[in-house]
Amino acid sequence: MARAAVFAGPGRPMEIVTFNPPEPGPGEILVRVACCTLCRSDLHTHAGRRTEPTPTVLGHEVVGRIEAFGQPGVRSDADGRPAQVGDRVTWSVTTGCGTCFFCSADLPQKCERLIKFGHRPIPDGMPVTGGLSDYVLLIPGTVWFRVPDTIPDEVAAPANCATATAAALLRHAGDVAGRAVLVLGAGVLGVTVAAMARAAGASTVLVADPVPALRERSRLFEATHPISSDPTVVAETVTAATGGRGADVIVELAGTAAAVQTAFDSARIGGTILLAGTVAPTRAVPLDPEMVVRRLLTIRGVHNYHPRDLAAAISFLAGPGRDLPFDRLVVARYPLDDAEKAFAHAHTTPGFRIAVVP
């Protein structure tokens, strides 16, 4: 028998249910979960700050091993590498239909019939849709990749959310070689952006956070200027570090209106502002259109990621990121039966990941 932690709504303890794992159908792959880490969006749902259809199985930062292939089915990953039962894999959090307007526009993460692992109701009573389960069933069309042996489970699990989102942000940032990048928020995503920006050649990476320990931790991920998120401190440091021009690229990850305002204020003429932190409601921020026009600003929201960003994330973790202490971002591990305790711990430990290991 297999187990899953079923979430029925905020304020209600998750129920550990048992089930017989399904036989994968045509084009499906059954994966035995090795590790699931709790993302901030999981915490928002668990606390009721965002709404998901229930009952559901939360958890989308997952790595696991192939248990069985459906027949017929694809036996090679999205990079064309052959795979077999027992291989370790991870997959895109979103699966698109491949034919709708947004999929045709190369935005499969915004598919009109989008399916998101860890974010959908349990179909037919089979809780294999999220990582807080012994098994996840990859549906036809899921983009999946083999995970190199050099990447530990607890580093590989966040790859299909935090690391892939960081890769998406760097892709939209363009060439950052020799540039100044300001990262607002020094959580898991923030230090990952810092590390990837430096690996891409950024000469200056400023990481702002109100928590001294978190911003100082960013030095371990090659940030050059850990600073307070106080707007005055940010303004003074950015001015000094850029010769008064402002940052070339600003990545907002704090998820607050104040951080968004700081992002607008910190960009140089011709700069790029990437907003990704506000995945839950926050107050509006005034925007002066004349300021955007005269300063030639590019402002872009980044939500979810393209599957190609997951490929970039895995390559980074197996390459330039291999010697960085990503494993230290996971500070506790809980068995699946203690998933509720894992969430309680995660809510009190911002800026880190808690792992659930079946």
Side-chain angles (χ1 to χ4, degrees):
M1 294 291 286
R3 301 158 301 150
V6 175
F7 175 73
R12 301 174 64 179
M14 284 180 284
E15 179 186 2
I16 303 298
V17 301
T18 59
F19 64 98
N20 291 314
E23 291 290 332
E28 297 177 338
I29 302 174
L30 185 66
V31 176
R32 179 184 285 272
V33 173
C35 179
C36 175
T37 48
L38 302 182
C39 172
R40 189 168 69 176
S41 63
D42 292 318
L43 302 185
H44 286 323
T45 302
H46 184 262
R49 293 187 293 269
R50 60 180 284 169
T51 302
E52 297 286 0
T54 56
T56 188
V57 176
L58 299 174
H60 53 273
E61 292 188 343
V62 194
V63 64
R65 294 189 179 275
I66 296 174
E67 183 82 2
F69 290 94
Q71 301 293 338
V74 176
R75 290 178 175 260
S76 58
D77 73 5
D79 281 338
R81 293 171 295 195
Q84 59 187 357
V85 170
D87 281 348
R88 203 163 52 124
V89 295
T90 191
W91 52 92
S92 174
V93 67
T94 61
T95 299
C97 70
T99 60
C100 73
F101 174 86
F102 292 109
C103 286
S104 300
D106 200 32
L107 289 171
Q109 68 272 42
K110 290 298 175 181
C111 173
E112 293 171 359
R113 294 178 286 278
L114 187 70
I115 292 176
K116 292 184 70 174
F117 291 95
H119 293 270
R120 63 188 179 111
I122 297 170
D124 303 322
M126 188 57 65
V128 289
T129 56
L132 295 181
S133 177
D134 284 325
Y135 292 94
V136 173
L137 186 68
L138 306 190
I139 62 176
T142 301
V143 177
W144 56 276
F145 297 91
R146 289 178 54 192
V147 177
D149 293 337
T150 55
I151 305 176
D153 282 349
E154 290 162 358
V155 175
N160 72 355
C161 184
T163 322
T165 300
L169 288 160
L170 267 294
R171 175 168 59 86
H172 289 302
D175 185 5
V176 298
R179 302 293 189 180
V181 178
L182 170 63
V183 182
L184 300 171
V188 172
L189 189 50
V191 297
T192 305
V193 169
M196 296 184 84
R198 289 286 281 162
S203 58
T204 303
V205 176
L206 308 97
V207 178
D209 198 280
V211 180
L214 292 183
R215 62 180 182 254
E216 284 302 317
R217 181 185 67 177
S218 70
R219 292 186 189 274
L220 301 176
F221 297 87
E222 304 195 344
T224 59
H225 296 69
I227 58 175
S228 166
S229 58
D230 179 270
T232 300
V233 174
V234 174
E236 292 175 349
T237 310
V238 169
T239 295
T242 64
R245 291 186 303 276
D248 300 290
V249 176
I250 300 94
V251 181
E252 188 286 309
L253 302 170
T256 67
V260 174
Q261 187 62 60
T262 298
F264 290 160
D265 295 340
S266 302
R268 69 162 171 85
I269 292 173
T272 296
I273 298 168
L274 300 170
L275 306 178
T278 46
V279 294
T282 187
R283 68 174 175 84
V285 177
L287 177 64
D288 180 356
E290 182 186 16
M291 174 270 293
V292 177
V293 171
R294 291 189 180 278
R295 291 170 59 195
L296 303 173
L297 296 180
T298 298
I299 302 171
R300 181 168 191 135
V302 177
H303 183 238
N304 298 335
Y305 56 82
H306 193 287
R308 71 170 69 98
D309 299 314
L310 178 53
I314 295 170
S315 294
F316 169 76
L317 292 173
R322 181 175 177 177
D323 295 327
L324 298 178
F326 283 101
D327 58 327
R328 291 167 60 177
L329 299 177
V330 177
V331 294
R333 298 148 188 84
Y334 287 83
L336 180 60
D337 289 340
D338 289 337
E340 197 66 46
K341 293 180 181 179
F343 270 89
H345 192 164
H347 282 301
T348 62
T349 317
F352 292 90
R353 284 293 194 265
I354 304 299
V356 176
V357 182

